[in-house]
């Protein structure tokens, strides 16, 4: 365009040309801002989707664990009641004098055997449903599974060792139905974990070198 043509443009034409350039530049800036906004929204949606997926997975695991626990511990209350029946059967057997057991009465012996078999069958049935007997004699005392009834001075075993089981306990899965009632050793040697490391002899040469 010649200088004359440029001079012939009116101020209105110059303003229109400038405004058109500004609109074009503004359009580019607007598109960039829109792209940035869309990318940000996309990242937020992806983050929400990942969080929702993680929450659903956690819910699925909790539900599966609850179902497993319900199956494993559904008989816990019933099993606890049956232990009382088993205890009474054992008390009845223990209350029979030795001389009575040794008597030649066949009927009485059959009764004793019947009670004994009933107790064994009951404990066997409980075991099939996950109930385990706790007879921890010789094991280290565990307050989660054992109940200390008294202490027994015994220097021959480590302190805290179960030396007598007054009444066996029972557990189902990882839960305790009834803690074992036990007597615990007192005053014996410490276990390896409890023993302190004694300091060794002084190395005089090492002290001199230091």
């Amino acid at each position: 365009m010649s200088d004359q043509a440029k001079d012939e443009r009116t101020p209105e034409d110059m303003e229109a040309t400038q405004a058109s350039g500004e609109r074009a530049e503004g359009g580019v800036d607007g598109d960039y801002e829109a792209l940035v906004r869309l990318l940000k929204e996309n990242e937020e949606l992806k983050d929400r989707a990942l969080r929702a997926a993680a929450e659903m997975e956690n819910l699925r695991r909790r539900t599966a664990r609850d179902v497993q626990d319900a199956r494993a511990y559904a008989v816990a209350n019933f099993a606890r009641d049956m232990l009382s029946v088993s205890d009474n059967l054992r008390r009845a057997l223990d209350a029979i004098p030795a001389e009575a057991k040794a008597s030649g009465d066949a009927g009485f012996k059959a009764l004793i055997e019947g009670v004994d078999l009933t107790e064994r069958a009951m404990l066997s049935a409980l075991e099939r449903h996950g109930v385990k007997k706790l007879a921890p004699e010789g094991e280290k005392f565990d307050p989660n599974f054992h109940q200390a009834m008294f202490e027994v001075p015994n220097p021959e075993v480590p302190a805290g060792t179960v030396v007598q089981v007054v009444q066996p306990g029972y557990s189902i899965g990882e839960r305790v139905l009834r803690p074992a009632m036990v007597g615990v050793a007192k005053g014996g040697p410490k276990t390896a974990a409890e023993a302190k490391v004694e300091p060794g002899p002084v190395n005089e040469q090492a002290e001199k070198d230091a």
Side-chain angles (χ1 to χ4, degrees):
M1 183 181 294
S2 63
D3 294 339
Q4 183 177 0
K6 292 180 180 180
D7 294 336
E8 290 177 354
R9 290 185 303 173
T10 63
E12 290 79 4
D13 293 339
M14 295 177 67
E15 290 179 359
T17 301
Q18 183 177 0
S20 177
E22 290 177 352
R23 285 197 299 272
E25 183 177 356
V28 173
D29 292 341
D31 291 341
Y32 177 75
E33 292 177 357
L35 178 61
V36 171
R37 185 173 63 255
L38 289 173
L39 290 174
K40 184 177 180 180
E41 292 176 354
N42 184 52
E43 289 297 326
E44 291 177 353
L45 291 174
K46 285 172 62 178
D47 184 64
R48 291 179 184 176
L50 290 174
R51 289 177 181 272
E55 290 177 359
M56 289 300 296
E57 179 63 18
N58 290 335
L59 178 61
R60 185 191 67 79
R61 291 179 179 177
R62 285 197 300 269
T63 302
R65 185 171 59 249
D66 290 343
V67 170
Q68 183 179 0
D69 288 347
R71 289 175 179 173
Y73 304 120
V75 298
N77 291 333
F78 175 75
R80 191 177 293 108
D81 291 339
M82 289 300 98
L83 290 178
S84 299
V85 178
S86 176
D87 289 341
N88 289 332
L89 291 173
R90 175 46 49 186
R91 292 189 187 100
L93 292 171
D94 292 341
I96 300 173
E99 56 273 14
K101 292 181 180 179
S103 67
D105 191 334
F108 189 61
K109 284 187 177 181
L111 176 61
I112 295 174
E113 291 176 0
V115 174
D116 186 51
L117 288 174
T118 302
E119 182 203 21
R120 293 183 185 181
M122 181 177 295
L123 294 177
S124 179
L126 290 173
E127 187 174 356
R128 286 196 300 272
H129 287 83
V131 178
K132 295 181 180 179
K133 186 176 182 179
L134 302 176
E137 186 170 349
E139 299 177 6
K140 183 176 176 58
F141 176 77
D142 185 347
N144 296 312
F145 295 94
H146 313 148
Q147 180 178 346
M149 305 301 295
F150 51 86
E151 291 184 320
V152 180
N154 189 339
E156 297 180 359
V157 297
T161 301
V162 175
V163 293
Q164 184 178 348
V165 178
V166 179
Q167 184 182 58
Y170 291 88
S171 65
I172 180 170
E174 297 180 354
R175 299 182 184 178
V176 177
L177 284 175
R178 186 180 72 192
M181 297 183 181
V182 300
V184 183
K186 173 185 178 183
K190 294 182 179 179
T191 61
E194 296 172 339
K196 296 182 179 179
V197 178
E198 296 295 335
V202 177
N203 190 331
E204 296 180 357
Q205 184 61 40
E207 290 185 348
K208 291 180 181 179
D209 293 340

